[in-house]
Amino acid sequence: MNVSNELDSKQVILIVDDTPDNITLLSALLKDIYKIKIATNGVKALHIASTQPSPDLILLDVMMPEMDGYETCKRLKENPLTAEIPVIFLTAKSQVSDEEMGLKLGAVDYISKPVSPPIVLARVATQLHLVRARNLLQDQNKHLETLVQDRTRKLAKMQDAIIMAMASLAETRDNETGNHIRRTQNYVAALARQLKDHPRFSHELTDENIELLYKSAPLHDIGKVGIPDNILLKPGKLDVEEFEVMKQHTNYGRETILTVERYLGESNEFLRFAREITYSHQEKWDGSGYPENLSGDAIPISARLMAVADVYDALISKRVYKPAFSHEEAIDIMRKGKGTHFDPDILDVFLRITEEFRDIAMRYRQNEEGESEIY
């Protein structure tokens, strides 16, 4: 290592004293080991200490004109830029009350004058070893935080991919594409954002929960993997017995999520939303839905949001049993379901943001058989 690098690697000590002889003595004692900076009063000391790179340690005289060492230390500790710099008082004031005052202000040590060179060297070295150890620990913590954040992002991305894969598996059996998943999850998020400040929904629709709803929405029809093809793909209206079988997809979906919760030994908000949506998105506001004929606020908010999103997308999409309705036709049909099929407040919001729904539908439209054509 060259001389320049050796100097750059030296720890920096700021000596604050208004007496030239004291500065000369301390500088001569420390300059071969450390890089020295000088301040002859408290104001200069505050400026130097807050200028980067800041000193690693401050040796601070107490008795100085204008601003004494106690006031200087107090201001150093009040400034976030200098609060962590260790301060050692060097002073002729040797009463116990003086030491107590200095330590209360945040100093790490108190050395009486006239100074003993071995004591100064030993105590300075001790504090600077602690500074190096603290800085090393902070660097390690930052590195660990970066690693954790990176791995958390990768894990979240992997989880999202698994969710989409599971949801797509159900959709591919239902003559639909993954864009139905994308559309409905964006519809749900759009509704939730508009309702987050509504007194009926604000307790549930926090920013964090809206993100979880967005991620869980694709799982709403995962239970369809358990429905036989002759029913799921029937190109016509289901008879009574067939419809009873179709209704089981809500139970199959909930059981899938419950299996995950049992495997984990716990639940969380994401799994709760996924369970609610898969099980209750076919419930209707007036109690005429399934699987439990729930009505009104007994239906989870997440499922009420999904009901609006799912019905709108079903109406504008071509299916084996029906053509696609236009956006305007779908809006008219849904308006008639206010207070019967849909929560009135949620539908009112939907009717205010129908153009946003149209934009989402257009963004994720595909020119494939079975997909919507919206103009």
PDB file of all heavy atoms in Angstrom, residues 9-14 30 33-36 54-59 84-88 108 120-136:
ATOM      1  N   SER A   9      -6.483   5.993   4.789  1.00  0.00           N
ATOM      2  CA  SER A   9      -7.125   4.995   5.629  1.00  0.00           C
ATOM      3  C   SER A   9      -7.098   5.351   7.110  1.00  0.00           C
ATOM      4  O   SER A   9      -7.721   4.686   7.912  1.00  0.00           O
ATOM      5  CB  SER A   9      -6.445   3.637   5.433  1.00  0.00           C
ATOM      6  OG  SER A   9      -5.118   3.673   5.941  1.00  0.00           O
ATOM      7  N   LYS A  10      -6.340   6.394   7.467  1.00  0.00           N
ATOM      8  CA  LYS A  10      -6.252   6.788   8.867  1.00  0.00           C
ATOM      9  C   LYS A  10      -7.593   7.328   9.360  1.00  0.00           C
ATOM     10  O   LYS A  10      -8.290   8.038   8.637  1.00  0.00           O
ATOM     11  CB  LYS A  10      -5.188   7.870   9.056  1.00  0.00           C
ATOM     12  CG  LYS A  10      -3.751   7.368   8.976  1.00  0.00           C
ATOM     13  CD  LYS A  10      -2.783   8.513   9.262  1.00  0.00           C
ATOM     14  CE  LYS A  10      -1.345   8.034   9.286  1.00  0.00           C
ATOM     15  NZ  LYS A  10      -0.406   9.141   9.585  1.00  0.00           N
ATOM     16  N   GLN A  11      -7.918   6.997  10.592  1.00  0.00           N
ATOM     17  CA  GLN A  11      -9.104   7.577  11.200  1.00  0.00           C
ATOM     18  C   GLN A  11      -8.844   9.042  11.548  1.00  0.00           C
ATOM     19  O   GLN A  11      -7.713   9.446  11.812  1.00  0.00           O
ATOM     20  CB  GLN A  11      -9.494   6.782  12.442  1.00  0.00           C
ATOM     21  CG  GLN A  11     -10.049   5.404  12.111  1.00  0.00           C
ATOM     22  CD  GLN A  11     -10.313   4.567  13.341  1.00  0.00           C
ATOM     23  OE1 GLN A  11      -9.377   4.114  13.979  1.00  0.00           O
ATOM     24  NE2 GLN A  11     -11.578   4.375  13.676  1.00  0.00           N
ATOM     25  N   VAL A  12      -9.904   9.824  11.542  1.00  0.00           N
ATOM     26  CA  VAL A  12      -9.789  11.277  11.676  1.00  0.00           C
ATOM     27  C   VAL A  12     -10.227  11.723  13.070  1.00  0.00           C
ATOM     28  O   VAL A  12     -11.310  11.346  13.537  1.00  0.00           O
ATOM     29  CB  VAL A  12     -10.646  11.993  10.615  1.00  0.00           C
ATOM     30  CG1 VAL A  12     -10.543  13.511  10.779  1.00  0.00           C
ATOM     31  CG2 VAL A  12     -10.215  11.574   9.221  1.00  0.00           C
ATOM     32  N   ILE A  13      -9.377  12.525  13.708  1.00  0.00           N
ATOM     33  CA  ILE A  13      -9.688  13.102  15.023  1.00  0.00           C
ATOM     34  C   ILE A  13      -9.786  14.610  14.891  1.00  0.00           C
ATOM     35  O   ILE A  13      -8.886  15.248  14.325  1.00  0.00           O
ATOM     36  CB  ILE A  13      -8.621  12.732  16.071  1.00  0.00           C
ATOM     37  CG1 ILE A  13      -8.582  11.216  16.286  1.00  0.00           C
ATOM     38  CG2 ILE A  13      -8.897  13.450  17.391  1.00  0.00           C
ATOM     39  CD1 ILE A  13      -7.502  10.765  17.250  1.00  0.00           C
ATOM     40  N   LEU A  14     -10.848  15.188  15.390  1.00  0.00           N
ATOM     41  CA  LEU A  14     -11.016  16.637  15.443  1.00  0.00           C
ATOM     42  C   LEU A  14     -10.666  17.105  16.849  1.00  0.00           C
ATOM     43  O   LEU A  14     -11.308  16.704  17.824  1.00  0.00           O
ATOM     44  CB  LEU A  14     -12.454  17.020  15.098  1.00  0.00           C
ATOM     45  CG  LEU A  14     -12.846  18.494  15.299  1.00  0.00           C
ATOM     46  CD1 LEU A  14     -11.977  19.410  14.448  1.00  0.00           C
ATOM     47  CD2 LEU A  14     -14.324  18.705  15.005  1.00  0.00           C
ATOM     48  N   LEU A  30      -0.713  12.612  18.521  1.00  0.00           N
ATOM     49  CA  LEU A  30      -1.629  11.763  17.748  1.00  0.00           C
ATOM     50  C   LEU A  30      -1.372  11.728  16.242  1.00  0.00           C
ATOM     51  O   LEU A  30      -1.869  10.824  15.550  1.00  0.00           O
ATOM     52  CB  LEU A  30      -3.074  12.248  17.970  1.00  0.00           C
ATOM     53  CG  LEU A  30      -3.588  12.209  19.408  1.00  0.00           C
ATOM     54  CD1 LEU A  30      -4.886  12.988  19.522  1.00  0.00           C
ATOM     55  CD2 LEU A  30      -3.780  10.773  19.884  1.00  0.00           C
ATOM     56  N   ILE A  33      -0.385   8.616  14.125  1.00  0.00           N
ATOM     57  CA  ILE A  33      -1.311   7.474  14.116  1.00  0.00           C
ATOM     58  C   ILE A  33      -2.619   7.826  13.412  1.00  0.00           C
ATOM     59  O   ILE A  33      -3.202   7.002  12.705  1.00  0.00           O
ATOM     60  CB  ILE A  33      -1.618   7.012  15.555  1.00  0.00           C
ATOM     61  CG1 ILE A  33      -0.324   6.777  16.332  1.00  0.00           C
ATOM     62  CG2 ILE A  33      -2.476   5.747  15.544  1.00  0.00           C
ATOM     63  CD1 ILE A  33      -0.539   6.496  17.808  1.00  0.00           C
ATOM     64  N   TYR A  34      -3.055   9.072  13.586  1.00  0.00           N
ATOM     65  CA  TYR A  34      -4.358   9.496  13.074  1.00  0.00           C
ATOM     66  C   TYR A  34      -4.213  10.752  12.224  1.00  0.00           C
ATOM     67  O   TYR A  34      -3.224  11.488  12.311  1.00  0.00           O
ATOM     68  CB  TYR A  34      -5.323   9.782  14.239  1.00  0.00           C
ATOM     69  CG  TYR A  34      -5.397   8.660  15.242  1.00  0.00           C
ATOM     70  CD1 TYR A  34      -4.773   8.777  16.492  1.00  0.00           C
ATOM     71  CD2 TYR A  34      -6.083   7.480  14.958  1.00  0.00           C
ATOM     72  CE1 TYR A  34      -4.830   7.739  17.424  1.00  0.00           C
ATOM     73  CE2 TYR A  34      -6.143   6.447  15.878  1.00  0.00           C
ATOM     74  CZ  TYR A  34      -5.521   6.580  17.108  1.00  0.00           C
ATOM     75  OH  TYR A  34      -5.568   5.565  18.015  1.00  0.00           O
ATOM     76  N   LYS A  35      -5.247  10.997  11.408  1.00  0.00           N
ATOM     77  CA  LYS A  35      -5.334  12.247  10.672  1.00  0.00           C
ATOM     78  C   LYS A  35      -5.991  13.276  11.576  1.00  0.00           C
ATOM     79  O   LYS A  35      -7.024  13.012  12.178  1.00  0.00           O
ATOM     80  CB  LYS A  35      -6.158  12.059   9.400  1.00  0.00           C
ATOM     81  CG  LYS A  35      -6.202  13.282   8.508  1.00  0.00           C
ATOM     82  CD  LYS A  35      -6.964  12.983   7.221  1.00  0.00           C
ATOM     83  CE  LYS A  35      -7.015  14.212   6.327  1.00  0.00           C
ATOM     84  NZ  LYS A  35      -7.740  13.929   5.046  1.00  0.00           N
ATOM     85  N   ILE A  36      -5.373  14.467  11.679  1.00  0.00           N
ATOM     86  CA  ILE A  36      -5.825  15.463  12.641  1.00  0.00           C
ATOM     87  C   ILE A  36      -6.493  16.639  11.937  1.00  0.00           C
ATOM     88  O   ILE A  36      -6.007  17.151  10.928  1.00  0.00           O
ATOM     89  CB  ILE A  36      -4.626  15.994  13.480  1.00  0.00           C
ATOM     90  CG1 ILE A  36      -3.904  14.826  14.175  1.00  0.00           C
ATOM     91  CG2 ILE A  36      -5.114  17.017  14.504  1.00  0.00           C
ATOM     92  CD1 ILE A  36      -4.765  14.019  15.108  1.00  0.00           C
ATOM     93  N   SER A  54     -16.938  13.248   7.846  1.00  0.00           N
ATOM     94  CA  SER A  54     -16.954  13.717   9.226  1.00  0.00           C
ATOM     95  C   SER A  54     -15.860  13.021  10.028  1.00  0.00           C
ATOM     96  O   SER A  54     -15.398  11.931   9.671  1.00  0.00           O
ATOM     97  CB  SER A  54     -18.313  13.438   9.860  1.00  0.00           C
ATOM     98  OG  SER A  54     -18.601  12.058   9.817  1.00  0.00           O
ATOM     99  N   PRO A  55     -15.405  13.638  11.113  1.00  0.00           N
ATOM    100  CA  PRO A  55     -14.370  13.008  11.946  1.00  0.00           C
ATOM    101  C   PRO A  55     -14.881  11.738  12.629  1.00  0.00           C
ATOM    102  O   PRO A  55     -16.074  11.577  12.853  1.00  0.00           O
ATOM    103  CB  PRO A  55     -14.027  14.093  12.965  1.00  0.00           C
ATOM    104  CG  PRO A  55     -15.221  14.986  13.001  1.00  0.00           C
ATOM    105  CD  PRO A  55     -15.805  14.954  11.629  1.00  0.00           C
ATOM    106  N   ASP A  56     -13.953  10.862  12.953  1.00  0.00           N
ATOM    107  CA  ASP A  56     -14.316   9.630  13.657  1.00  0.00           C
ATOM    108  C   ASP A  56     -14.407   9.834  15.161  1.00  0.00           C
ATOM    109  O   ASP A  56     -15.064   9.044  15.849  1.00  0.00           O
ATOM    110  CB  ASP A  56     -13.282   8.543  13.347  1.00  0.00           C
ATOM    111  CG  ASP A  56     -13.257   8.179  11.872  1.00  0.00           C
ATOM    112  OD1 ASP A  56     -14.253   7.628  11.389  1.00  0.00           O
ATOM    113  OD2 ASP A  56     -12.242   8.460  11.215  1.00  0.00           O
ATOM    114  N   LEU A  57     -13.743  10.900  15.672  1.00  0.00           N
ATOM    115  CA  LEU A  57     -13.709  11.151  17.107  1.00  0.00           C
ATOM    116  C   LEU A  57     -13.435  12.642  17.319  1.00  0.00           C
ATOM    117  O   LEU A  57     -12.713  13.264  16.534  1.00  0.00           O
ATOM    118  CB  LEU A  57     -12.597  10.323  17.778  1.00  0.00           C
ATOM    119  CG  LEU A  57     -12.368  10.539  19.283  1.00  0.00           C
ATOM    120  CD1 LEU A  57     -13.540  10.001  20.089  1.00  0.00           C
ATOM    121  CD2 LEU A  57     -11.062   9.861  19.731  1.00  0.00           C
ATOM    122  N   ILE A  58     -14.013  13.198  18.363  1.00  0.00           N
ATOM    123  CA  ILE A  58     -13.787  14.601  18.697  1.00  0.00           C
ATOM    124  C   ILE A  58     -13.219  14.683  20.106  1.00  0.00           C
ATOM    125  O   ILE A  58     -13.798  14.146  21.057  1.00  0.00           O
ATOM    126  CB  ILE A  58     -15.096  15.411  18.618  1.00  0.00           C
ATOM    127  CG1 ILE A  58     -15.657  15.384  17.193  1.00  0.00           C
ATOM    128  CG2 ILE A  58     -14.853  16.855  19.070  1.00  0.00           C
ATOM    129  CD1 ILE A  58     -17.019  16.051  17.055  1.00  0.00           C
ATOM    130  N   LEU A  59     -12.054  15.372  20.234  1.00  0.00           N
ATOM    131  CA  LEU A  59     -11.481  15.703  21.530  1.00  0.00           C
ATOM    132  C   LEU A  59     -11.873  17.151  21.814  1.00  0.00           C
ATOM    133  O   LEU A  59     -11.447  18.071  21.104  1.00  0.00           O
ATOM    134  CB  LEU A  59      -9.956  15.553  21.515  1.00  0.00           C
ATOM    135  CG  LEU A  59      -9.435  14.135  21.239  1.00  0.00           C
ATOM    136  CD1 LEU A  59      -7.910  14.128  21.198  1.00  0.00           C
ATOM    137  CD2 LEU A  59      -9.922  13.160  22.306  1.00  0.00           C
ATOM    138  N   GLU A  84     -23.697  10.710  16.045  1.00  0.00           N
ATOM    139  CA  GLU A  84     -23.028   9.433  16.316  1.00  0.00           C
ATOM    140  C   GLU A  84     -21.522   9.568  16.517  1.00  0.00           C
ATOM    141  O   GLU A  84     -20.844   8.578  16.814  1.00  0.00           O
ATOM    142  CB  GLU A  84     -23.303   8.453  15.172  1.00  0.00           C
ATOM    143  CG  GLU A  84     -24.767   8.069  14.998  1.00  0.00           C
ATOM    144  CD  GLU A  84     -25.337   7.405  16.246  1.00  0.00           C
ATOM    145  OE1 GLU A  84     -24.610   6.570  16.837  1.00  0.00           O
ATOM    146  OE2 GLU A  84     -26.463   7.731  16.627  1.00  0.00           O
ATOM    147  N   ILE A  85     -20.979  10.761  16.327  1.00  0.00           N
ATOM    148  CA  ILE A  85     -19.530  10.940  16.503  1.00  0.00           C
ATOM    149  C   ILE A  85     -19.208  10.918  17.994  1.00  0.00           C
ATOM    150  O   ILE A  85     -19.735  11.739  18.760  1.00  0.00           O
ATOM    151  CB  ILE A  85     -19.047  12.264  15.891  1.00  0.00           C
ATOM    152  CG1 ILE A  85     -19.422  12.351  14.406  1.00  0.00           C
ATOM    153  CG2 ILE A  85     -17.539  12.429  16.068  1.00  0.00           C
ATOM    154  CD1 ILE A  85     -19.132  13.697  13.769  1.00  0.00           C
ATOM    155  N   PRO A  86     -18.333  10.020  18.460  1.00  0.00           N
ATOM    156  CA  PRO A  86     -17.993   9.999  19.886  1.00  0.00           C
ATOM    157  C   PRO A  86     -17.201  11.235  20.298  1.00  0.00           C
ATOM    158  O   PRO A  86     -16.353  11.726  19.550  1.00  0.00           O
ATOM    159  CB  PRO A  86     -17.161   8.719  20.039  1.00  0.00           C
ATOM    160  CG  PRO A  86     -16.662   8.405  18.679  1.00  0.00           C
ATOM    161  CD  PRO A  86     -17.675   8.930  17.710  1.00  0.00           C
ATOM    162  N   VAL A  87     -17.500  11.742  21.488  1.00  0.00           N
ATOM    163  CA  VAL A  87     -16.851  12.939  22.024  1.00  0.00           C
ATOM    164  C   VAL A  87     -16.149  12.583  23.330  1.00  0.00           C
ATOM    165  O   VAL A  87     -16.754  11.971  24.222  1.00  0.00           O
ATOM    166  CB  VAL A  87     -17.881  14.055  22.279  1.00  0.00           C
ATOM    167  CG1 VAL A  87     -17.221  15.252  22.978  1.00  0.00           C
ATOM    168  CG2 VAL A  87     -18.533  14.500  20.971  1.00  0.00           C
ATOM    169  N   ILE A  88     -14.871  12.983  23.421  1.00  0.00           N
ATOM    170  CA  ILE A  88     -14.127  12.865  24.679  1.00  0.00           C
ATOM    171  C   ILE A  88     -13.810  14.275  25.163  1.00  0.00           C
ATOM    172  O   ILE A  88     -13.194  15.065  24.435  1.00  0.00           O
ATOM    173  CB  ILE A  88     -12.810  12.078  24.498  1.00  0.00           C
ATOM    174  CG1 ILE A  88     -13.100  10.632  24.091  1.00  0.00           C
ATOM    175  CG2 ILE A  88     -11.997  12.102  25.795  1.00  0.00           C
ATOM    176  CD1 ILE A  88     -11.838   9.806  23.846  1.00  0.00           C
ATOM    177  N   VAL A 108     -18.464  10.192  25.568  1.00  0.00           N
ATOM    178  CA  VAL A 108     -18.136   8.794  25.871  1.00  0.00           C
ATOM    179  C   VAL A 108     -17.039   8.673  26.916  1.00  0.00           C
ATOM    180  O   VAL A 108     -16.838   7.602  27.493  1.00  0.00           O
ATOM    181  CB  VAL A 108     -17.718   8.042  24.591  1.00  0.00           C
ATOM    182  CG1 VAL A 108     -18.875   7.957  23.611  1.00  0.00           C
ATOM    183  CG2 VAL A 108     -16.502   8.682  23.931  1.00  0.00           C
ATOM    184  N   VAL A 120      -4.326   9.273  27.180  1.00  0.00           N
ATOM    185  CA  VAL A 120      -4.980   9.808  25.985  1.00  0.00           C
ATOM    186  C   VAL A 120      -4.915   8.803  24.848  1.00  0.00           C
ATOM    187  O   VAL A 120      -5.920   8.507  24.180  1.00  0.00           O
ATOM    188  CB  VAL A 120      -4.341  11.144  25.557  1.00  0.00           C
ATOM    189  CG1 VAL A 120      -4.891  11.596  24.192  1.00  0.00           C
ATOM    190  CG2 VAL A 120      -4.611  12.218  26.604  1.00  0.00           C
ATOM    191  N   LEU A 121      -3.716   8.252  24.603  1.00  0.00           N
ATOM    192  CA  LEU A 121      -3.558   7.290  23.510  1.00  0.00           C
ATOM    193  C   LEU A 121      -4.436   6.064  23.710  1.00  0.00           C
ATOM    194  O   LEU A 121      -5.086   5.575  22.770  1.00  0.00           O
ATOM    195  CB  LEU A 121      -2.089   6.877  23.389  1.00  0.00           C
ATOM    196  CG  LEU A 121      -1.133   7.926  22.811  1.00  0.00           C
ATOM    197  CD1 LEU A 121       0.317   7.465  22.964  1.00  0.00           C
ATOM    198  CD2 LEU A 121      -1.454   8.198  21.349  1.00  0.00           C
ATOM    199  N   ALA A 122      -4.482   5.559  24.961  1.00  0.00           N
ATOM    200  CA  ALA A 122      -5.249   4.343  25.230  1.00  0.00           C
ATOM    201  C   ALA A 122      -6.753   4.586  25.065  1.00  0.00           C
ATOM    202  O   ALA A 122      -7.471   3.784  24.450  1.00  0.00           O
ATOM    203  CB  ALA A 122      -4.952   3.850  26.646  1.00  0.00           C
ATOM    204  N   ARG A 123      -7.227   5.717  25.592  1.00  0.00           N
ATOM    205  CA  ARG A 123      -8.669   5.966  25.543  1.00  0.00           C
ATOM    206  C   ARG A 123      -9.126   6.337  24.131  1.00  0.00           C
ATOM    207  O   ARG A 123     -10.221   5.966  23.705  1.00  0.00           O
ATOM    208  CB  ARG A 123      -9.040   7.056  26.539  1.00  0.00           C
ATOM    209  CG  ARG A 123      -8.852   6.596  27.987  1.00  0.00           C
ATOM    210  CD  ARG A 123      -9.404   7.581  28.977  1.00  0.00           C
ATOM    211  NE  ARG A 123      -9.271   7.080  30.338  1.00  0.00           N
ATOM    212  CZ  ARG A 123      -9.639   7.756  31.428  1.00  0.00           C
ATOM    213  NH1 ARG A 123     -10.181   8.968  31.298  1.00  0.00           N
ATOM    214  NH2 ARG A 123      -9.478   7.236  32.630  1.00  0.00           N
ATOM    215  N   VAL A 124      -8.280   7.075  23.420  1.00  0.00           N
ATOM    216  CA  VAL A 124      -8.601   7.376  22.026  1.00  0.00           C
ATOM    217  C   VAL A 124      -8.657   6.096  21.210  1.00  0.00           C
ATOM    218  O   VAL A 124      -9.578   5.866  20.417  1.00  0.00           O
ATOM    219  CB  VAL A 124      -7.582   8.367  21.435  1.00  0.00           C
ATOM    220  CG1 VAL A 124      -7.685   8.409  19.909  1.00  0.00           C
ATOM    221  CG2 VAL A 124      -7.794   9.754  22.011  1.00  0.00           C
ATOM    222  N   ALA A 125      -7.668   5.216  21.398  1.00  0.00           N
ATOM    223  CA  ALA A 125      -7.627   3.952  20.656  1.00  0.00           C
ATOM    224  C   ALA A 125      -8.855   3.101  20.953  1.00  0.00           C
ATOM    225  O   ALA A 125      -9.446   2.488  20.049  1.00  0.00           O
ATOM    226  CB  ALA A 125      -6.356   3.187  21.002  1.00  0.00           C
ATOM    227  N   THR A 126      -9.258   3.064  22.220  1.00  0.00           N
ATOM    228  CA  THR A 126     -10.431   2.276  22.599  1.00  0.00           C
ATOM    229  C   THR A 126     -11.681   2.770  21.877  1.00  0.00           C
ATOM    230  O   THR A 126     -12.442   1.976  21.313  1.00  0.00           O
ATOM    231  CB  THR A 126     -10.660   2.360  24.122  1.00  0.00           C
ATOM    232  OG1 THR A 126      -9.541   1.756  24.783  1.00  0.00           O
ATOM    233  CG2 THR A 126     -11.941   1.638  24.508  1.00  0.00           C
ATOM    234  N   GLN A 127     -11.892   4.091  21.889  1.00  0.00           N
ATOM    235  CA  GLN A 127     -13.087   4.631  21.245  1.00  0.00           C
ATOM    236  C   GLN A 127     -13.061   4.435  19.732  1.00  0.00           C
ATOM    237  O   GLN A 127     -14.093   4.140  19.117  1.00  0.00           O
ATOM    238  CB  GLN A 127     -13.235   6.124  21.582  1.00  0.00           C
ATOM    239  CG  GLN A 127     -13.523   6.400  23.050  1.00  0.00           C
ATOM    240  CD  GLN A 127     -14.778   5.693  23.542  1.00  0.00           C
ATOM    241  OE1 GLN A 127     -15.754   5.548  22.796  1.00  0.00           O
ATOM    242  NE2 GLN A 127     -14.749   5.238  24.792  1.00  0.00           N
ATOM    243  N   LEU A 128     -11.892   4.562  19.120  1.00  0.00           N
ATOM    244  CA  LEU A 128     -11.809   4.392  17.679  1.00  0.00           C
ATOM    245  C   LEU A 128     -11.932   2.930  17.262  1.00  0.00           C
ATOM    246  O   LEU A 128     -12.429   2.632  16.174  1.00  0.00           O
ATOM    247  CB  LEU A 128     -10.514   5.009  17.138  1.00  0.00           C
ATOM    248  CG  LEU A 128     -10.507   6.538  17.173  1.00  0.00           C
ATOM    249  CD1 LEU A 128      -9.160   7.083  16.745  1.00  0.00           C
ATOM    250  CD2 LEU A 128     -11.606   7.110  16.282  1.00  0.00           C
ATOM    251  N   HIS A 129     -11.506   2.020  18.110  1.00  0.00           N
ATOM    252  CA  HIS A 129     -11.775   0.590  17.850  1.00  0.00           C
ATOM    253  C   HIS A 129     -13.284   0.343  17.850  1.00  0.00           C
ATOM    254  O   HIS A 129     -13.806  -0.412  17.015  1.00  0.00           O
ATOM    255  CB  HIS A 129     -11.093  -0.286  18.901  1.00  0.00           C
ATOM    256  CG  HIS A 129      -9.631  -0.510  18.666  1.00  0.00           C
ATOM    257  ND1 HIS A 129      -9.133  -0.935  17.453  1.00  0.00           N
ATOM    258  CD2 HIS A 129      -8.556  -0.376  19.492  1.00  0.00           C
ATOM    259  CE1 HIS A 129      -7.820  -1.050  17.533  1.00  0.00           C
ATOM    260  NE2 HIS A 129      -7.441  -0.708  18.760  1.00  0.00           N
ATOM    261  N   LEU A 130     -13.984   0.985  18.793  1.00  0.00           N
ATOM    262  CA  LEU A 130     -15.436   0.839  18.843  1.00  0.00           C
ATOM    263  C   LEU A 130     -16.089   1.442  17.600  1.00  0.00           C
ATOM    264  O   LEU A 130     -17.072   0.898  17.081  1.00  0.00           O
ATOM    265  CB  LEU A 130     -15.982   1.516  20.102  1.00  0.00           C
ATOM    266  CG  LEU A 130     -15.627   0.851  21.433  1.00  0.00           C
ATOM    267  CD1 LEU A 130     -16.106   1.715  22.598  1.00  0.00           C
ATOM    268  CD2 LEU A 130     -16.248  -0.541  21.521  1.00  0.00           C
ATOM    269  N   VAL A 131     -15.549   2.560  17.117  1.00  0.00           N
ATOM    270  CA  VAL A 131     -16.077   3.174  15.901  1.00  0.00           C
ATOM    271  C   VAL A 131     -15.926   2.235  14.715  1.00  0.00           C
ATOM    272  O   VAL A 131     -16.851   2.039  13.926  1.00  0.00           O
ATOM    273  CB  VAL A 131     -15.361   4.514  15.613  1.00  0.00           C
ATOM    274  CG1 VAL A 131     -15.699   5.016  14.205  1.00  0.00           C
ATOM    275  CG2 VAL A 131     -15.765   5.560  16.642  1.00  0.00           C
ATOM    276  N   ARG A 132     -14.724   1.625  14.583  1.00  0.00           N
ATOM    277  CA  ARG A 132     -14.504   0.679  13.478  1.00  0.00           C
ATOM    278  C   ARG A 132     -15.455  -0.504  13.577  1.00  0.00           C
ATOM    279  O   ARG A 132     -16.023  -0.952  12.573  1.00  0.00           O
ATOM    280  CB  ARG A 132     -13.049   0.181  13.492  1.00  0.00           C
ATOM    281  CG  ARG A 132     -12.031   1.173  12.971  1.00  0.00           C
ATOM    282  CD  ARG A 132     -10.689   0.488  12.768  1.00  0.00           C
ATOM    283  NE  ARG A 132      -9.644   1.410  12.394  1.00  0.00           N
ATOM    284  CZ  ARG A 132      -9.424   1.853  11.158  1.00  0.00           C
ATOM    285  NH1 ARG A 132     -10.218   1.455  10.173  1.00  0.00           N
ATOM    286  NH2 ARG A 132      -8.435   2.693  10.905  1.00  0.00           N
ATOM    287  N   ALA A 133     -15.626  -1.008  14.793  1.00  0.00           N
ATOM    288  CA  ALA A 133     -16.514  -2.158  14.978  1.00  0.00           C
ATOM    289  C   ALA A 133     -17.955  -1.783  14.634  1.00  0.00           C
ATOM    290  O   ALA A 133     -18.669  -2.548  13.978  1.00  0.00           O
ATOM    291  CB  ALA A 133     -16.424  -2.661  16.415  1.00  0.00           C
ATOM    292  N   ARG A 134     -18.390  -0.586  15.058  1.00  0.00           N
ATOM    293  CA  ARG A 134     -19.746  -0.134  14.755  1.00  0.00           C
ATOM    294  C   ARG A 134     -19.947   0.034  13.255  1.00  0.00           C
ATOM    295  O   ARG A 134     -20.963  -0.388  12.695  1.00  0.00           O
ATOM    296  CB  ARG A 134     -20.013   1.195  15.464  1.00  0.00           C
ATOM    297  CG  ARG A 134     -21.440   1.726  15.280  1.00  0.00           C
ATOM    298  CD  ARG A 134     -21.546   3.157  15.776  1.00  0.00           C
ATOM    299  NE  ARG A 134     -20.780   4.060  14.914  1.00  0.00           N
ATOM    300  CZ  ARG A 134     -20.420   5.293  15.271  1.00  0.00           C
ATOM    301  NH1 ARG A 134     -20.731   5.752  16.467  1.00  0.00           N
ATOM    302  NH2 ARG A 134     -19.737   6.046  14.430  1.00  0.00           N
ATOM    303  N   ASN A 135     -18.962   0.656  12.587  1.00  0.00           N
ATOM    304  CA  ASN A 135     -19.070   0.865  11.140  1.00  0.00           C
ATOM    305  C   ASN A 135     -19.091  -0.461  10.390  1.00  0.00           C
ATOM    306  O   ASN A 135     -19.834  -0.624   9.418  1.00  0.00           O
ATOM    307  CB  ASN A 135     -17.917   1.729  10.637  1.00  0.00           C
ATOM    308  CG  ASN A 135     -18.005   3.158  11.129  1.00  0.00           C
ATOM    309  OD1 ASN A 135     -19.068   3.610  11.557  1.00  0.00           O
ATOM    310  ND2 ASN A 135     -16.898   3.880  11.101  1.00  0.00           N
ATOM    311  N   LEU A 136     -18.270  -1.412  10.851  1.00  0.00           N
ATOM    312  CA  LEU A 136     -18.250  -2.725  10.222  1.00  0.00           C
ATOM    313  C   LEU A 136     -19.600  -3.415  10.383  1.00  0.00           C
ATOM    314  O   LEU A 136     -20.137  -4.010   9.431  1.00  0.00           O
ATOM    315  CB  LEU A 136     -17.143  -3.591  10.832  1.00  0.00           C
ATOM    316  CG  LEU A 136     -17.026  -5.023  10.290  1.00  0.00           C
ATOM    317  CD1 LEU A 136     -16.727  -5.008   8.797  1.00  0.00           C
ATOM    318  CD2 LEU A 136     -15.948  -5.796  11.053  1.00  0.00           C
TER     319      LEU A 136
END
